[in-house]
Amino acid sequence: MMSLSSGSRSLRSSQASPSTGPSGGSPVLELNVGGELYTTTVGTLRKLPGSKLAEMFSSSAKAYTDAEGRFFIDRPGTYFGPILDYLRSERLPTHHIPEVYREAQFYEIKPLVKLLEDTPQIFGEQVARRQFLLRVPGYSENLELMVRLARAEAVAARSSAVLVCAVRTEEDAVLCADALRVLEAEKRSVVKFGPWKAAPQVKDLLDCVKMDITAQGYQVHYEQFSERTLRTKHLGYFYTFVFIWW
């Protein structure tokens, strides 16, 4: 939906306002997309019937305007330019691929969405990494738990440490069960990942955890757990994630 700015009108009632292109072609519009200004034609915006963008500029749609009378869309303006470039000339973006992909999904520019899904950036994220994480039981819930534990330890502290156990196979889970019991007896909180049925190793899982927590705005790194509480044979399963607060 277009978001409300200083006023609204239907595109049908405003056809006298936009100027027309050469030989009385498609009307020219000025757009304000999240503060970024663009000039294009109604024909370009309606190029893909059935898309949300085309619907926004259908004759029956309710349009919102800014203080200067420009049509207003309350979305990130930086990434709207590549959407227009694709509609004008089918040119694919070369920068900010994930952000443009998100906007193409929002505007329902399906041919562009499909093309972007074949790029290394989106293919790697959607097909490789995300599909791996779907095979790690409780991955998203564990991330939330880690953040809650870290924040609970943050009072008057510069950093917080969260203990993580990562086991790739059922055999690994059996081997570290005793160590988990020892830590439980010491009332230590441990976030356990795995086992999982996929090729990536423990380090790959840890890198994913760091990446996803960092994406939430936290400064975090991990290191191998080194306390003498555990036997040496168990240390390879345990890691400390350190959250830096200031």
Side-chain angles (χ1 to χ4, degrees):
M1 287 287 296
M2 288 191 174
S3 295
L4 182 61
S5 181
S6 60
S8 63
R9 56 181 172 172
S10 72
L11 198 60
R12 183 189 301 277
S13 65
S14 65
Q15 289 301 307
S17 180
S19 61
T20 57
S23 303
S26 182
V28 176
L29 296 179
E30 285 192 344
L31 303 178
N32 178 344
V33 184
E36 299 278 343
L37 303 183
Y38 294 93
T39 303
T40 188
T41 67
V42 173
T44 296
L45 298 168
R46 294 178 181 171
K47 186 172 183 178
L48 293 177
S51 68
K52 183 182 290 188
L53 187 60
E55 176 59 29
M56 285 178 173
F57 291 92
S58 68
S59 58
S60 61
K62 189 177 184 181
Y64 297 99
T65 58
D66 65 11
E68 303 299 322
R70 292 177 289 244
F71 290 89
F72 180 74
I73 303 176
D74 194 10
R75 294 292 296 179
T78 302
Y79 313 117
F80 188 72
I83 301 290
L84 279 183
D85 286 342
Y86 175 77
L87 293 173
R88 288 165 173 157
S89 60
E90 298 188 355
R91 186 172 72 182
L92 291 179
T94 56
H95 302 288
H96 307 295
I97 301 296
E99 293 82 3
V100 176
Y101 175 69
R102 183 180 65 239
E103 293 306 294
Q105 288 180 307
F106 173 79
Y107 293 114
E108 298 177 1
I109 312 298
K110 293 180 181 179
L112 178 56
V113 169
K114 183 170 178 21
L115 288 168
L116 291 176
E117 285 177 344
D118 287 334
T119 62
Q121 297 96 317
I122 304 302
F123 181 87
E125 174 67 17
Q126 299 294 329
V127 176
R129 197 176 84 92
R130 283 296 164 192
Q131 288 301 313
F132 159 53
L133 296 178
L134 288 173
R135 290 164 170 76
V136 180
Y139 179 80
S140 297
E141 293 81 0
N142 280 346
L143 288 186
E144 293 175 5
L145 176 58
M146 288 179 65
V147 170
R148 287 201 304 272
L149 290 172
R151 292 172 70 94
E153 298 293 328
V155 178
R158 183 165 188 175
S159 63
S160 303
V162 177
L163 186 56
V164 165
C165 174
V167 291
R168 180 172 176 264
T169 67
E170 296 286 354
E171 291 78 8
D172 292 335
V174 171
L175 286 173
C176 74
D178 287 341
L180 285 171
R181 282 191 285 270
V182 169
L183 292 168
E184 183 180 348
E186 295 179 352
K187 301 188 182 305
R188 298 284 295 272
S189 296
V190 182
V191 181
K192 180 175 175 289
F193 289 88
W196 58 84
K197 294 182 179 179
Q201 302 297 311
V202 166
K203 185 180 185 305
D204 300 316
L205 181 280
L206 298 174
D207 287 343
C208 285
V209 171
K210 178 184 175 183
M211 183 186 305
D212 289 332
I213 291 178
T214 300
Q216 296 181 41
Y218 295 97
Q219 183 180 347
V220 65
H221 68 271
Y222 69 85
E223 55 198 36
Q224 191 161 15
F225 185 66
S226 58
E227 292 184 21
R228 295 183 178 180
T229 306
L230 303 180
R231 297 178 183 177
T232 303
K233 67 178 182 179
H234 293 142
L235 293 178
Y237 302 114
F238 291 88
Y239 298 82
T240 302
F241 275 76
V242 180
F243 290 69
I244 307 298
W245 301 112
W246 52 276

